[in-house]
């Protein structure tokens, strides 16, 4: 499924490409020489902070940071943050009072982000919220939001790398394996395609990005590492090899 122009690169491009290069290696051993960055862009660090501490009071500050730094000028960064906020709202309805109605200083791009979030959260008054958050000139966006899947798990993770980043954002908002398992399964899909030499497959680049993103996040978060290890217990062949690389085994 095609969505708005480009993905957010929550992971720097060079990091992803380096991790993918390591995963392409024939050896099942981890690529110890690979220098993987442990840093995320400033705006993604805010979501990671929420994942680690689950402090709903941080939600307005996260939105302000994205907005004030101009991150939300990119429509796909809007939709990624919306996946995060929408999942917080789904898990904790009390979070709504933190960001709705929007602050007067919130930009038009920030209001568009909240419109997407209301859709992902499947709020009962979504239609009224969309009418309040969007301007008449946003009719094309309104139509796109209405026609888009909800919740996030209904988006095809193989369609574009930006959808993968929506899954990571929703995972950071919830810690739910519904999102993490989809990412791990995409990494296993990459392993199968790579093992069979099917690098021209339409889903190859997005599934490779899933594997690279797991390589980045697994050492940083115990819950991610534990889940990857659980998948490894049932894996074999190229799938097991890829999971061992992700786990640095």
């Amino acid at each position: 499924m095609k969505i708005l122009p480009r993905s957010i690169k929550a992971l720097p491009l060079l990091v992803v490409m380096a991790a993918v290069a390591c995963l392409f290696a024939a050896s099942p051993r981890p690529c110890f020489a690979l220098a993987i960055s442990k840093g995320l862009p400033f705006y993604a660090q805010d979501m990671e902070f929420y994942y680690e501490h689950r402090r709903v009071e941080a939600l307005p500050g996260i939105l302000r940071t994205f907005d004030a730094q101009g991150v939300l000028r990119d429509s796909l960064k809007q939709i990624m943050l919306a996946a995060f906020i929408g999942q917080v709202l789904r898990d904790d309805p009390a979070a709504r009072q933190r960001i709705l109605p929007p602050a007067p200083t919130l930009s038009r791009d920030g209001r568009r982000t909240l419109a997407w979030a209301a859709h992902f959260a499947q709020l009962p008054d979504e239609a009224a919220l969309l009418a309040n958050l969007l301007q008449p000139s946003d009719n094309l966006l309104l139509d796109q939001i209405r026609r888009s899947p909800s919740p996030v798990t209904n988006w095809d993770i193989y369609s574009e790398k930006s959808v993968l980043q929506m899954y990571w954002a929703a995972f950071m908002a919830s810690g739910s394996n519904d999102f993490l398992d989809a990412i791990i399964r995409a990494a296993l899909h990459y392993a199968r395609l790579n093992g069979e030499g099917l690098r021209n497959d339409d889903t190859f680049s997005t599934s490779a990005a899933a594997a690279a993103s797991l390589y980045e996040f697994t050492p940083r978060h115990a819950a991610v590492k534990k889940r990857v290890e659980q998948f490894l217990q049932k894996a074999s062949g190229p799938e097991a090899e890829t999971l061992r690389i992700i786990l640095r085994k």
Side-chain angles (χ1 to χ4, degrees), residues 142-182:
L142 177 60
D143 183 59
Q144 183 177 30
I145 291 174
R146 287 172 173 168
R147 291 185 291 104
S148 295
S150 182
V152 171
T153 47
N154 287 342
W155 288 65
D156 180 4
I157 197 171
Y158 299 105
S159 61
E160 292 187 9
K161 294 184 181 71
S162 54
V163 179
L164 166 66
Q165 291 156 359
M166 290 166 60
Y167 271 73
W168 272 119
F171 172 73
M172 288 185 182
S174 65
S176 171
N177 284 340
D178 289 346
F179 305 106
L180 182 57
D181 288 359

Side-chain angles (χ1 to χ4, degrees), residues 64 67 102-108:
R64 280 197 307 270
D67 197 30
T105 55
L106 192 67
S107 72
R108 182 184 180 187

Side-chain angles (χ1 to χ4, degrees), residues 23-248:
L23 290 164
F24 283 167
S27 171
R29 293 173 296 172
C31 186
F32 289 111
L34 179 61
I36 278 290
S37 168
K38 293 186 181 297
L40 290 174
F42 57 90
Y43 51 85
Q45 289 176 5
D46 285 346
M47 291 191 300
E48 197 163 14
F49 173 85
Y50 184 90
Y51 169 72
E52 292 170 340
H53 301 285
R54 289 293 186 272
R55 293 176 57 181
V56 72
E57 64 269 23
L59 197 59
I62 293 173
L63 179 58
R64 280 197 307 270
T65 298
F66 275 68
D67 197 30
Q69 298 294 337
V71 174
L72 300 179
R73 293 171 189 159
D74 184 327
S75 56
L76 285 174
K77 292 173 185 175
Q78 289 180 27
I79 205 172
M80 183 276 303
L81 180 61
F84 172 83
I85 295 175
Q87 192 60 40
V88 173
L89 293 172
R90 285 177 65 85
D91 293 345
D92 183 3
R96 173 173 175 155
Q97 63 187 351
R98 303 280 182 175
I99 56 173
L100 290 170
T105 55
L106 192 67
S107 72
R108 182 184 180 187
D109 290 328
R111 296 175 72 90
R112 288 175 169 182
T113 301
L114 287 182
W116 274 110
H119 178 65
F120 289 137
Q122 297 182 307
L123 296 179
D125 57 342
E126 176 186 337
L129 285 170
L130 294 181
N132 179 59
L133 290 165
L134 299 178
Q135 301 176 5
S137 57
D138 291 323
N139 282 338
L140 288 177
L141 176 61
L142 177 60
D143 183 59
Q144 183 177 30
I145 291 174
R146 287 172 173 168
R147 291 185 291 104
S148 295
S150 182
V152 171
T153 47
N154 287 342
W155 288 65
D156 180 4
I157 197 171
Y158 299 105
S159 61
E160 292 187 9
K161 294 184 181 71
S162 54
V163 179
L164 166 66
Q165 291 156 359
M166 290 166 60
Y167 271 73
W168 272 119
F171 172 73
M172 288 185 182
S174 65
S176 171
N177 284 340
D178 289 346
F179 305 106
L180 182 57
D181 288 359
I183 295 168
I184 297 173
R185 286 193 293 270
L188 296 178
H189 180 66
Y190 152 78
R192 292 189 293 271
L193 292 176
N194 192 47
E196 296 172 13
L198 300 176
R199 298 186 181 181
N200 291 325
D201 187 275
D202 289 343
T203 61
F204 183 83
S205 64
T206 51
S207 57
S213 67
L214 280 170
Y215 189 95
E216 168 78 0
F217 280 105
T218 295
R220 296 222 300 265
H221 299 296
V224 177
K225 180 179 179 181
K226 180 179 179 180
R227 195 62 175 167
V228 173
E229 288 174 337
Q230 290 172 346
F231 271 77
L232 177 58
Q233 291 173 5
K234 299 179 181 180
S236 60
E239 295 180 358
E241 177 179 324
T242 296
L243 293 180
R244 289 192 190 99
I245 292 173
I246 289 169
L247 291 164
R248 277 69 165 175

